[in-house]
Amino acid sequence: MDKIVSCKNANICINELKLISKLSLDIYSGDRILITGKNGYGKTTLLRHLSGLIPNIDIELYTNPVVLIGIKSPFDSHLTVRENLLRLFSLYQISGKRKYLFRRILFYSQLSSNIFDVLFFKLSPGTAMRVAFALSVIRCKDSELIVMDEWLSVGDSEFRHFADKILRKIISKDVAIIIATNSNPDRF
């Protein structure tokens, strides 16, 4: 098994508040880690450290993680959805024909093609989450570490059911997965 993340005596802080002292762990491909706790207990901050969004000299990442839901939006609100996706395809080094990638975005978001010419800030939160979800699913294709801040729970029941099936397929792969939630852990 390949080591994906290594922590040695890491302190996890937000501003000057120390949330976790001397965290030590190694995460390998295929590992499943579920972090549970109440709102405000530092789950998202821990995910940010473990995924490299907050640099921490005591944490080594051996891969580029895919942050699936929550945590940080990579979208520029003043660009159209199309402009954002083109920028992010390049940033995340997502290869493939643009036409194919845009069709995959439509499939995974369950939206129509007129969404591409809308400025991102004009999207409803649910529509923005669908676009972000679709991009994240595409990014998961070759990732060795998937980090999720809460399981997707936006949109109508039909989309939640669709997204749930996609997420379950993703987590069935032999990749390391870290999920943080304040929901019932039996759900996972």
Side-chain angles (χ1 to χ4, degrees):
M1 292 185 124
D2 295 332
K3 189 183 293 188
I4 306 296
V5 178
S6 183
C7 260
K8 300 292 182 224
N9 295 315
N11 292 316
I12 308 299
C13 304
I14 186 165
N15 299 325
E16 298 299 317
L17 176 64
K18 191 179 293 185
L19 302 173
I20 299 173
S21 296
K22 299 183 180 181
L23 174 68
S24 293
L25 65 93
D26 291 323
I27 300 172
Y28 293 88
S29 59
D31 283 353
R32 303 294 190 261
I33 298 173
L34 180 64
I35 302 166
T36 62
K38 296 179 181 179
N39 286 336
Y41 275 47
K43 298 179 303 295
T44 299
T45 301
L46 176 57
L47 290 181
R48 286 179 174 153
H49 281 265
L50 291 175
S51 65
L53 292 175
I54 296 177
N56 188 318
I57 60 170
D58 298 318
I59 298 176
E60 289 185 67
L61 283 171
Y62 300 99
T63 187
N64 290 321
V66 171
V67 179
L68 245 183
I69 297 170
I71 297 185
K72 181 181 177 184
S73 174
F75 296 95
D76 183 326
S77 62
H78 298 290
L79 296 177
T80 66
V81 172
R82 180 185 320 277
E83 291 165 335
N84 267 294
L85 290 170
L86 289 170
R87 180 179 65 84
L88 294 169
F89 290 157
S90 176
L91 177 71
Y92 296 139
Q93 299 176 357
I94 299 172
S95 60
K97 295 187 183 243
R98 297 296 182 229
K99 189 174 182 177
Y100 171 78
L101 292 172
F102 281 108
R103 280 198 318 264
R104 301 313 298 158
I105 292 291
L106 294 177
F107 174 75
Y108 290 124
S109 69
Q110 299 286 284
L111 296 168
S112 65
S113 61
N114 62 358
I115 195 71
F116 292 132
D117 297 318
V118 176
L119 290 170
F120 207 82
F121 79 88
K122 292 189 176 185
L123 300 178
S124 70
T127 300
M129 179 59 83
R130 284 180 178 216
V131 173
F133 172 76
L135 177 64
S136 295
V137 170
I138 290 169
R139 289 186 61 215
C140 285
K141 182 180 172 215
D142 298 318
S143 180
E144 297 176 279
L145 173 61
I146 297 171
V147 179
M148 294 175 63
D149 190 11
E150 292 295 341
W151 195 264
L152 186 68
S153 60
V154 300
D156 56 44
S157 62
E158 188 177 322
F159 183 73
R160 281 195 308 268
H161 178 71
F162 170 79
D164 191 66
K165 283 175 47 179
I166 299 297
L167 291 173
R168 290 196 183 282
K169 186 175 180 180
I170 289 169
I171 67 170
S172 71
K173 294 178 174 180
D174 189 30
V175 297
I177 298 171
I178 307 170
I179 300 175
T181 185
N182 56 13
S183 300
N184 179 359
D186 293 337
R187 180 178 180 192
F188 308 101

